[in-house]
Amino acid sequence: MAVPELHRFKLDNGLRVVLAPDPTAPVVGVAVHYDVGFRSEPEGRTGFAHLFEHLMFQGSESLEKLAHFRHVQSSGGTFNGSTHPDYTDYYEVLPAAALERALFLEADRMRAPKLTQENLANQIDVVKEEIRLNVLNRPYGGFPWILLPPVLYSTFANAHNGYGDFVDLENATLDDCAAFFDTFYAPANAVLTVAGDFEVGRARELVEKHFGDVPFRPAPPRRSFAEPRPAEELRGFHTDPHAPLPALAVGYRMPDPVGELDAYVANLVLAGVLTDGDGSRLQQRLVHRDAIVTDIGAGAGLFGPFEARDPDTFSITAIHAPEVTGDRVLKAIDEEIDLLATTPPDERELAKVTARWVAGLHSDHDRMVSRTLALGAFELLYDDASLVHGLADRFAAVTADDVAAAAKALRPDSRAVLIVQPEGGSK
Amino acid sequence: MTAVQHRSAQEIGRTERGPRPVPPLGGQRAAAELSHVDTVLPNGLRVLAVRKDTVPLVEVRLSIPFAGTGELHAATAEVLAETIVTGTARRDRVAIDTEMALIGGELSTVVDPERLAISASALASGLPTLFDVLADLLTEASYVDAEVARESARLIERLAIARTQPRTIAREALQRRRYGNHPVTREVPEAEDVAKVVPEAVRALHANAVLPRNSTLVIVGDVDPDAVVAELERALGDWASDKSANVLPDLPELTGGEVLLVPRPGAVQSQLRLSAQALRRTDPRYAHLQLANLAYGGYFSSRLVENIREDKGYTYSAHSGFEFTGNTATLLVDADTATDVTAAALLETRYELARLGLVPPTADEVESVRQYAIGSLGISISSQTGLAGQLSALAQAGLGFEWLAGHPERLAAVTAEEVAEAALDFFAPHRFTGVVVGDADTIGRGLEAVGGVAIGAA
């Protein structure tokens, strides 16, 4: 497949723009990534970045509350937004005819969102329902993305709950919203991505027309969230009122996703060798041979790879039977990782993981929404959207020794172990 | 927060130039025609193959009618679905996984009271391997004792997890409320039944029920449809039987009734589930009802979402949509709400049902849902996975590519009057039945006050 054409430029107000034309279907994707996620929240305002994401849908100077949704959907499109550790994204996928409308909608809320007390109160209620739905009322809610960071990390930025505590959410004020917007939602702190069926010159004109007069504000200086790696094994415990079976999550620090991209990719291959498919190391050992876990998974990034800067988390999670101790599961994981560190995977093991990654990348590329979001996230985090197109080659270039080295770095004396016990489990 | 000086919320929401008009839509070109073949193989399997070469992948969806009435059918079927990929005469489970992985492939199976579905994807270059593995599973799956025992044990653990999920609890309660003891209610088998499943029973079920006649296979991707059908015929030549795959008996017609309160002590949220009889895709009024449903709760800009989420903050998500089972279709309305506003949310949900008929969607509402229905269909079929999924659902209903290609036109032709008629006929609150699952001590009194609620065991 030919590498798709990319056009990247910057407006006078600092907004970075990525255009990725593709005429294969009469559909366009539009995304805006803002360089702020839940790691930037101040203490006492946990969950604020996500709450703010909700507020950005609630109206702007040109659009009443609910109008944003109606304009996207009555154009035949779909939309959403999501909050990550280091960025917040907003996106629409629409029939190509609605390109200008989508650009207008994103520009209008970047220029002048209408932040009101009424909408803030309403969206605090909605977010609390979202948390009840996804965390409080469900087994393994927040496992491991909310529960593991406070064990692995020591600073507020890295350790706190990105969904937020109810008390913090309820205390959020309109002035907090204004300060957050003026600080982080500047055009110079954002990336606009347009993918799909359009003519490049025309799209560029439309981008200038709608975003060109969003006034410049300086991007905030980028904070470092660096903190030392654990100097010992850290342990945390959580009692889950709904879970029927115990679970555990192991968290390790990993190479800088941006500064050490190839080492980071080697960790993704490592995750595949460990848990991807029935023939993977940990599936074979723990699920099939020892039969001590129901399911096991490993991966980089608590929402997926390439969604955070340093520090990022490599995690292994397992749900196991009550008669099996967490330490027994841990011991088996450690033995397999040790084995991998000393005897690197063979060619076929690597080829399996690489082929699945290549197919997965193609599949992501085929869905307009995932393609648009990947281009925007790479432009934001790596200053280079085109890296997306080179990922398959980078995966293919990972050697057996790279994987063994990545396994060797998953040290028992520098990690976090979270033990989840069912509420009835200890009785 | 972090800004030393910042504007107020009011200042942020205003510019010198003032509000701007929303730009009109531009011109829209039609999607490219896709070459396709729709045929029945000599073994009775219907095959729908479509060339869509946006990426060098293929997507395969095999759907086998898989109904059964025996006491252990649901449990046996579930074990079969978990175990079919664990070995054949030629390959063990690691060999299957390895061969699939080397072609960038994934393979998964899922079973419900109606169907066994096998989904697979791979790099297009790996298609011969994919077909070979698929044929091997269909004709030679061995269900060796140790694998059946292990997968049953894992399944029992997974069932324990599923049965603590509020959505699973609500789904089971709704199915019982709607369909009593019909086999369609057995979506999640009982753990003790799974424990009783023996390997011989799984092998027998495979021999009697994994059959090509009545089944459908959709393949979408970077393929030549004619060539792929010929290849498939060769690969699946040994998969044959005189018998036909087992179709689920018809569901009883839904009539309205009281909503049943199903207690879940201590729950911090309640699940509302309401359902009524609807129309099949082949009904001339289906497009009318589809638009009426979108206006009610079928998309974000619907009356239900704007009321109970965006106005009142009762819920994070509320939704209404179609469920297609065999020859029938139903409407399903669902919302998860905070415990203390559950009764109020039920009241508003019913209010919007009645209002849809009495104050029917305006011309603007109809245009909005029409564009959404047409546009979102176009978006969903712009990817291989989306197109494969749509076609598989249509093929199971006896429809095909032509129905999909013709649907935008049908949606375009619906009038506001037709939407209003469908709303009045199908959304009347008395036509609905359902359940509310939640903390009965807290929500019971309010629900009794709202009325039309039966308090009792599920």
Side-chain angles (χ1 to χ4, degrees), chain A residues 23 26 58 61-62 65 70 73-74 97 129 133 137-138 175 182 197 213 279 287 293-295 356 366, chain B residues 3 6-7 15 20 26 28-29 54 97 105 150 154 157-158 166-167 269 301 306 310 336 338 371 384:
Chain A
Q58 296 290 313
E61 181 176 41
S62 305
K65 179 179 166 81
R70 288 175 183 160
Q73 296 197 310
S74 69
E129 282 317 291
L133 180 74
N137 199 40
R138 131 179 331 179
D175 197 53
D182 260 1
D197 187 18
D213 74 337
V287 178
V293 305
T294 309
D295 285 297
R356 277 200 165 128
D366 196 36
Chain B
H6 62 84
R7 294 174 292 167
T15 66
R20 305 172 193 215
Q28 178 76 13
R29 67 180 177 87
T54 41
D97 181 56
R150 176 61 190 138
R154 284 176 82 191
E157 288 171 351
R158 288 202 185 110
R167 78 170 86 87
Q269 238 179 7
S301 303
E306 292 193 354
E310 292 298 303
D336 290 18
Q371 290 314 316
Q384 291 178 352

Side-chain angles (χ1 to χ4, degrees), chain B residues 44-130:
Chain B
L45 176 71
R46 177 166 168 219
V47 176
L48 232 166
V50 182
R51 176 177 184 81
K52 182 167 173 47
D53 57 359
T54 41
V55 286
L57 301 176
V58 287
E59 293 286 338
V60 175
R61 303 284 180 274
L62 174 61
S63 172
I64 303 169
F66 216 67
T69 47
E71 206 179 312
L72 290 182
H73 174 75
T76 314
E78 203 74 53
V79 174
L80 181 145
E82 296 292 337
T83 325
I84 189 168
V85 292
T86 61
T88 70
R90 285 191 283 148
R91 299 171 166 100
D92 66 9
R93 76 184 302 155
V94 173
I96 293 168
D97 181 56
T98 300
E99 285 193 56
M100 287 301 293
L102 288 170
I103 57 168
E106 305 277 357
L107 203 150
S108 65
T109 52
V110 59
V111 71
D112 64 26
E114 194 178 8
R115 294 177 175 278
L116 175 70
I118 302 181
S119 300
S121 64
L123 293 162
S125 55
L127 198 56
T129 304
L130 193 161

